């Protein structure tokens, strides 16, 4: 285990098993629709790569890059779009792929932003759900793991741009970000 990690919350094997299950579920739901999976960079890149490969149906992939103002460990909900979608989503079935939903403010912004373009449907697939912290009423259609209110890294999630390449989800040692 990496020296900055306090403990592993979700192992590599648990991630593989869950992502493969979610991919099959999405394939069953979307096989007639050629959906567009929309990931929020950078956090969802690794989840997206594994999820789409576990979902053996025709689908398109697109990414948005958003930056939310706030401290390094808490988002403020004020979101700035750094990269928008490359394709038109009108009348398409959109699945937002999120690494983690915390307060829900970023996701709520994304849903509003994409809804304005009149897709046929919008659903949300989140790997991690920190439900205790939710301050907005957003619906998660597919959830990998509910997790407690702790700051986690790995499998795409960073702290100061590090730890994204850890193959598991771990709790960062609090002294590394508390000060
Ligand atoms: P929300 O807008 O739902 O409060 O925050 C969502 C964003 O905050 C996530 O996309 C992620 O960038 C960041 N975030 C929230 N909780 C965590 C966490 O435990 N670890 C990491 N690395 N980022 C988090």
């Amino acid at each position: 285990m990496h020296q900055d990690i306090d403990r592993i919350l979700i192992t590599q094997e648990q991630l593989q098993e869950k992502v493969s299950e979610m991919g099959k579920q999405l394939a069953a739901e979307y096989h007639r629709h050629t959906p567009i999976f929309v990931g929020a960079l950078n956090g969802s890149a690794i989840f997206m790569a594994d999820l789409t490969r576990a979902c053996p149906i025709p689908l398109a992939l697109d990414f948005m890059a958003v930056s939310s103002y706030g401290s390094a460990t808490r988002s403020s909900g004020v979101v700035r779009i750094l990269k928008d979608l490359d394709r038109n989503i009108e009348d398409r079935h959109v699945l937002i792929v999120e690494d983690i939903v915390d307060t829900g403010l970023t996701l709520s912004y994304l849903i509003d932003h994409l809804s304005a373009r009149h897709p046929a449907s919008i659903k949300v697939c989140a790997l991690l759900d920190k439900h205790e912290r939710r301050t907005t009423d957003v619906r998660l259609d597919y959830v990998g793991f509910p997790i407690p209110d702790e700051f986690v890294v790995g499998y795409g999630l960073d702290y100061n741009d590090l730890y994204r390449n850890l193959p598991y989800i771990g709790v960062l040692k609090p002294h590394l970000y508390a000060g």
Side-chain angles (χ1 to χ4, degrees):
M1 188 170 73
H2 191 289
Q3 61 185 7
D4 295 349
I5 300 299
D6 193 42
R7 65 180 202 284
I8 294 178
L9 201 60
I10 306 167
T11 65
Q12 185 169 8
E13 292 70 31
Q14 287 171 314
L15 284 166
Q16 273 166 0
E17 196 178 317
K18 180 64 77 176
V19 172
S20 138
E21 195 183 288
M22 292 174 95
K24 286 188 194 130
Q25 194 186 354
L26 290 168
E29 169 112 359
Y30 281 104
H31 68 281
R32 287 197 197 89
H33 295 309
T34 314
I36 304 185
F37 284 20
V38 173
L41 292 172
N42 293 324
S44 67
I46 290 178
F47 177 40
M48 180 72 118
D50 285 347
L51 185 68
T52 50
R53 285 179 296 173
C55 187
I57 58 166
L59 59 81
L61 255 184
D62 208 336
F63 287 97
M64 291 187 64
V66 295
S67 124
S68 85
Y69 294 100
S71 71
T73 58
R74 298 289 185 215
S75 86
S76 65
V78 180
V79 176
R80 194 160 50 114
I81 294 180
L82 305 176
K83 179 209 167 292
D84 210 330
L85 293 180
D86 291 329
R87 48 188 53 64
N88 187 357
I89 58 166
E90 190 170 345
D91 297 327
R92 299 291 302 270
H93 292 272
V94 169
L95 181 76
I96 299 177
V97 175
E98 271 282 15
D99 47 354
I100 185 164
V101 181
D102 184 26
T103 61
L105 292 167
T106 307
L107 179 60
S108 164
Y109 178 89
L110 271 182
I111 293 172
D112 288 349
H113 179 80
L114 297 178
S115 298
R117 297 176 186 181
H118 309 293
S121 69
I122 298 194
K123 287 192 174 182
V124 177
C125 174
L127 180 67
L128 306 176
D129 177 13
K130 241 191 227 182
H131 46 95
E132 281 169 47
R133 298 246 319 141
R134 198 76 87 257
T135 59
T136 48
D137 186 21
V138 281
R139 188 179 122 148
L140 308 185
D141 300 281
Y142 308 91
V143 172
F145 302 90
I147 62 162
D149 181 12
E150 289 182 283
F151 193 78
V152 294
V153 294
Y155 199 69
L157 289 155
D158 76 312
Y159 176 68
N160 276 350
D161 281 331
L162 294 175
Y163 314 110
R164 291 193 201 275
N165 56 333
L166 295 178
Y168 49 80
I169 302 277
V171 176
L172 192 62
K173 287 184 178 164
H175 77 265
L176 291 170
Y177 62 87

